[in-house]
Amino acid sequence: MSIPANLKYTKDHEWVSLEGDVATVGITHFAQKELGDIVYVEVETLDQTLEKDEVFGTVEAVKTVSDLFLPLTGEIIEFNSGLEDAPELVNSDPYGEGWMIKVKVSDVAEIDSLLSAEAYKELIGA
Protein backbone atom coordinates (compact mmCIF):
# COMPACT_ATOMS: atom_id res chain seq x y z
CA MET A 1 0.00 0.00 0.00
CA SER A 2 1.32 3.39 -0.99
CA ILE A 3 1.98 5.89 1.83
CA PRO A 4 4.28 8.62 0.47
CA ALA A 5 6.83 9.75 3.06
CA ASN A 6 6.72 13.40 1.91
CA LEU A 7 3.07 13.89 2.93
CA LYS A 8 1.32 14.43 6.27
CA TYR A 9 -1.77 12.46 7.31
CA THR A 10 -4.83 12.67 9.55
CA LYS A 11 -6.53 10.01 11.67
CA ASP A 12 -9.50 10.50 9.33
CA HIS A 13 -7.39 9.28 6.38
CA GLU A 14 -6.78 12.57 4.56
CA TRP A 15 -3.33 13.45 3.23
CA VAL A 16 -1.77 16.91 3.03
CA SER A 17 0.99 18.37 0.88
CA LEU A 18 2.04 21.86 1.95
CA GLU A 19 3.78 24.32 -0.37
CA GLY A 20 4.24 27.70 1.30
CA ASP A 21 0.84 28.46 2.81
CA VAL A 22 -1.19 26.40 0.30
CA ALA A 23 -2.10 22.84 1.20
CA THR A 24 -3.31 20.23 -1.27
CA VAL A 25 -5.66 17.71 0.36
CA GLY A 26 -6.98 14.32 -0.69
CA ILE A 27 -7.83 10.96 0.82
CA THR A 28 -5.32 8.19 1.29
CA HIS A 29 -4.92 4.97 -0.66
CA PHE A 30 -6.16 3.14 2.45
CA ALA A 31 -9.33 5.29 2.58
CA GLN A 32 -10.21 4.88 -1.09
CA LYS A 33 -9.64 1.12 -0.81
CA GLU A 34 -11.97 0.91 2.22
CA LEU A 35 -14.65 3.02 0.49
CA GLY A 36 -14.59 1.06 -2.76
CA ASP A 37 -15.49 2.54 -6.14
CA ILE A 38 -15.92 6.29 -5.77
CA VAL A 39 -18.78 7.70 -7.82
CA TYR A 40 -19.01 11.32 -6.62
CA VAL A 41 -17.00 13.93 -4.72
CA GLU A 42 -18.92 16.93 -3.38
CA VAL A 43 -17.30 20.09 -2.05
CA GLU A 44 -19.70 22.97 -1.42
CA THR A 45 -17.25 24.93 0.75
CA LEU A 46 -15.22 26.60 -2.02
CA ASP A 47 -14.19 30.15 -1.01
CA GLN A 48 -15.15 29.49 2.62
CA THR A 49 -12.82 29.60 5.60
CA LEU A 50 -13.19 26.56 7.85
CA GLU A 51 -11.59 25.42 11.07
CA LYS A 52 -9.39 22.34 11.29
CA ASP A 53 -11.51 19.15 11.55
CA GLU A 54 -14.66 20.77 10.09
CA VAL A 55 -16.42 18.89 7.27
CA PHE A 56 -15.44 20.37 3.90
CA GLY A 57 -17.26 17.91 1.67
CA THR A 58 -18.31 14.33 1.11
CA VAL A 59 -17.14 11.43 -0.97
CA GLU A 60 -19.73 8.98 -2.26
CA ALA A 61 -18.84 5.41 -3.06
CA VAL A 62 -21.03 2.60 -4.33
CA LYS A 63 -21.61 1.33 -0.78
CA THR A 64 -21.36 4.45 1.44
CA VAL A 65 -21.03 8.22 1.80
CA SER A 66 -18.24 9.63 3.98
CA ASP A 67 -17.57 13.10 5.30
CA LEU A 68 -14.27 14.78 4.43
CA PHE A 69 -12.58 16.63 7.30
CA LEU A 70 -10.34 19.65 6.80
CA PRO A 71 -6.86 18.84 8.16
CA LEU A 72 -5.75 22.50 8.56
CA THR A 73 -7.64 25.73 9.25
CA GLY A 74 -7.93 27.91 6.17
CA GLU A 75 -9.82 29.07 3.10
CA ILE A 76 -10.73 26.52 0.47
CA ILE A 77 -9.43 28.16 -2.69
CA GLU A 78 -9.69 25.39 -5.29
CA PHE A 79 -11.63 22.21 -5.99
CA ASN A 80 -10.23 19.60 -8.36
CA SER A 81 -12.81 20.03 -11.13
CA GLY A 82 -11.45 16.92 -12.85
CA LEU A 83 -13.28 14.88 -10.22
CA GLU A 84 -16.65 16.12 -11.52
CA ASP A 85 -16.30 14.02 -14.69
CA ALA A 86 -13.91 11.38 -13.32
CA PRO A 87 -14.39 10.76 -9.57
CA GLU A 88 -12.68 7.40 -10.06
CA LEU A 89 -9.36 9.30 -10.14
CA VAL A 90 -9.54 9.18 -6.34
CA ASN A 91 -9.35 5.38 -6.63
CA SER A 92 -6.76 5.16 -9.40
CA ASP A 93 -4.43 8.00 -8.32
CA PRO A 94 -5.31 9.20 -4.78
CA TYR A 95 -2.01 11.09 -4.28
CA GLY A 96 -1.87 12.60 -7.77
CA GLU A 97 -4.77 13.35 -10.13
CA GLY A 98 -7.23 12.35 -7.40
CA TRP A 99 -6.46 15.29 -5.09
CA MET A 100 -9.59 17.06 -3.85
CA ILE A 101 -9.00 20.62 -2.65
CA LYS A 102 -6.41 23.34 -2.14
CA VAL A 103 -6.48 25.39 1.06
CA LYS A 104 -4.86 28.73 1.88
CA VAL A 105 -3.71 27.77 5.37
CA SER A 106 -4.24 30.25 8.23
CA ASP A 107 -1.50 28.81 10.48
CA VAL A 108 1.13 26.61 8.81
CA ALA A 109 2.32 25.48 12.26
CA GLU A 110 -0.83 23.30 12.42
CA ILE A 111 0.94 20.90 10.05
CA ASP A 112 3.03 19.77 13.03
CA SER A 113 -0.09 18.25 14.60
CA LEU A 114 -0.57 15.86 11.66
CA LEU A 115 0.79 12.34 11.39
CA SER A 116 4.03 11.42 9.65
CA ALA A 117 3.96 8.58 7.09
CA GLU A 118 5.40 6.25 9.76
CA ALA A 119 2.76 7.22 12.33
CA TYR A 120 0.01 6.79 9.71
CA LYS A 121 1.34 3.32 8.79
CA GLU A 122 1.13 2.41 12.47
CA LEU A 123 -2.45 3.78 12.68
CA ILE A 124 -3.69 1.60 9.83
CA GLY A 125 -1.52 -1.40 10.69
CA ALA A 126 0.47 -1.31 7.45
Side-chain angles (χ1 to χ4, degrees), residues 1-4 7-17 24-35 38 53 56 59 66-71 90 94-95 98-100 114-117 119-126:
M1 181 176 311
S2 176
I3 302 173
L7 302 176
K8 291 289 199 167
Y9 300 87
T10 71
K11 292 178 180 162
D12 296 309
H13 311 288
E14 282 93 12
W15 60 263
V16 178
S17 170
T24 303
V25 179
I27 64 169
T28 65
H29 178 78
F30 175 84
Q32 67 80 22
K33 188 174 169 207
E34 290 293 303
L35 287 167
I38 293 173
D53 299 327
F56 72 82
V59 60
S66 282
D67 285 335
L68 299 166
F69 298 95
L70 195 62
V90 176
Y95 301 112
W99 65 274
M100 294 181 172
L114 301 180
L115 302 171
S116 67
Y120 184 70
K121 282 180 191 175
E122 199 171 296
L123 175 75
I124 62 172

Side-chain angles (χ1 to χ4, degrees), residues 21-111:
D21 65 351
V22 175
T24 303
V25 179
I27 64 169
T28 65
H29 178 78
F30 175 84
Q32 67 80 22
K33 188 174 169 207
E34 290 293 303
L35 287 167
D37 292 338
I38 293 173
V39 295
Y40 189 67
V41 178
E42 181 175 53
V43 174
E44 292 185 345
T45 51
L46 191 61
D47 300 324
Q48 293 180 28
T49 298
L50 301 176
E51 296 294 316
K52 179 180 179 189
D53 299 327
E54 279 193 84
V55 174
F56 72 82
T58 56
V59 60
E60 185 177 336
V62 172
K63 53 186 177 178
T64 189
V65 175
S66 282
D67 285 335
L68 299 166
F69 298 95
L70 195 62
L72 302 166
T73 300
E75 179 186 357
I76 298 172
I77 58 171
E78 187 176 345
F79 169 66
N80 181 355
S81 59
L83 299 181
E84 291 175 353
D85 295 327
E88 66 275 6
L89 288 171
V90 176
N91 292 115
S92 62
D93 191 11
Y95 301 112
E97 294 296 314
W99 65 274
M100 294 181 172
I101 60 168
K102 292 194 182 205
V103 180
K104 184 162 179 46
V105 178
S106 300
D107 180 5
V108 294
E110 280 185 348
I111 194 109

